[in-house]
Amino acid sequence: AFHDEGHHPHIHLVAYSKKAQEGYLSRQGIMSMRSSLAGVNFAEDLHNIYTEQTATRDKIKKDWHELVTAIIGAMDLNNTEHSEIEQKLILLAERLRRTQGKKVYGYLKRDVKDIIDEIVTMLEKDDNISKLYDLWWEYKCEVLGKYNKEIPQTKPPLSENKEFKSLKNDIIREALKIGQKIRKKKEKNGESKT
């Protein structure tokens, strides 16, 4: 049943089966149906929100990369403005050097992932990143509000948000570059390659 209320258009959907073994919907299945129906019924509204959310996500990723690059550049100049982050990046570079296999977040051991998560948590405190993530979360809640009565009350930390997993892999790439610089510096100074 569709109710075209001006401020709150909505539908009521009933799904059932005459056979007891059929027609069971899990909570996730119900949410999936709601999401699909909202996507159809609110396509125009959602398109605008998704466009803004995507633009904000892309801005977070761009600014994130610039921030990490700036921190690493400062490390090269011995500027210690972000010394705690720098220490974690060096620790990560060392741990990645001793890690076998694919150096992608999903394949790493928990202790290495913890270092990456700590770095993400530290970088999330940057004013610009924090404001952009807050804005992205507002868009996310607006989308969820279209088909869900219960919107999460708290925003997950950036390190726990699966939609920003690429930021973790960005940290890994940069730590690998740091590791190469450290190795070259040691070789130049005649130190062991171990």
Side-chain angles (χ1 to χ4, degrees):
F2 175 65
H3 296 257
D4 190 13
E5 296 176 14
H7 70 287
H8 180 64
H10 64 278
I11 66 168
H12 296 267
L13 174 69
V14 177
Y16 66 93
S17 175
K18 292 181 181 180
K19 296 181 183 179
Q21 293 81 12
E22 294 179 358
Y24 173 77
L25 282 173
S26 64
R27 199 176 268 283
Q28 182 60 39
I30 292 169
M31 290 307 298
S32 181
M33 282 178 41
R34 284 182 176 175
S35 176
S36 295
L37 288 168
V40 171
N41 292 315
F42 302 109
E44 192 173 310
D45 292 344
L46 289 173
H47 175 73
N48 293 333
I49 297 168
Y50 284 138
T51 300
E52 292 298 321
Q53 186 182 22
T54 300
T56 304
R57 184 198 63 219
D58 293 346
K59 178 84 170 121
I60 289 171
K61 289 180 179 184
K62 178 181 173 285
D63 289 5
W64 176 273
H65 187 73
E66 289 174 2
L67 175 61
V68 172
T69 302
I71 290 170
I72 292 170
M75 286 171 70
D76 292 340
L77 299 172
N78 293 323
N79 178 341
T80 59
E81 181 182 345
H82 301 281
S83 61
E84 191 176 357
I85 295 171
E86 293 169 12
Q87 291 170 2
K88 290 289 182 184
L89 284 167
I90 292 168
L91 174 63
L92 178 60
E94 182 60 30
R95 293 301 303 274
L96 289 172
R97 185 181 68 80
R98 290 186 268 134
T99 299
Q100 297 296 316
K102 212 170 189 180
K103 294 183 173 77
V104 177
Y105 186 82
Y107 291 96
L108 297 172
K109 291 181 181 178
R110 181 74 258 161
D111 60 328
V112 178
K113 287 180 179 180
D114 289 342
I115 296 169
I116 296 165
D117 291 345
E118 288 174 28
I119 294 169
V120 171
T121 299
M122 287 185 242
L123 291 170
E124 181 183 358
K125 294 175 185 173
D126 176 78
D127 288 340
N128 183 45
I129 300 296
S130 178
K131 287 176 188 174
L132 286 169
Y133 187 45
D134 288 344
L135 181 60
W136 180 89
W137 181 249
E138 286 176 30
Y139 291 130
K140 177 78 171 179
C141 289
E142 197 172 339
V143 169
L144 291 173
K146 293 288 185 188
Y147 59 88
N148 193 352
K149 290 179 185 176
E150 295 179 23
I151 298 171
Q153 295 299 311
T154 57
K155 173 183 71 179
L158 197 54
S159 63
E160 295 175 17
N161 191 326
K162 292 179 182 176
E163 295 187 50
F164 289 96
K165 193 173 183 179
S166 66
L167 300 179
K168 296 177 181 187
N169 288 318
D170 191 36
I171 294 292
I172 293 167
R173 280 188 298 277
E174 296 303 324
L176 289 169
K177 290 177 189 175
I178 291 170
Q180 289 173 344
K181 287 179 186 177
I182 291 171
R183 203 167 25 261
K184 286 178 183 176
K185 191 174 185 180
K186 285 181 178 181
E187 287 172 9
K188 184 178 177 183
N189 293 334
E191 294 180 29
S192 169
K193 294 182 182 181
T194 59

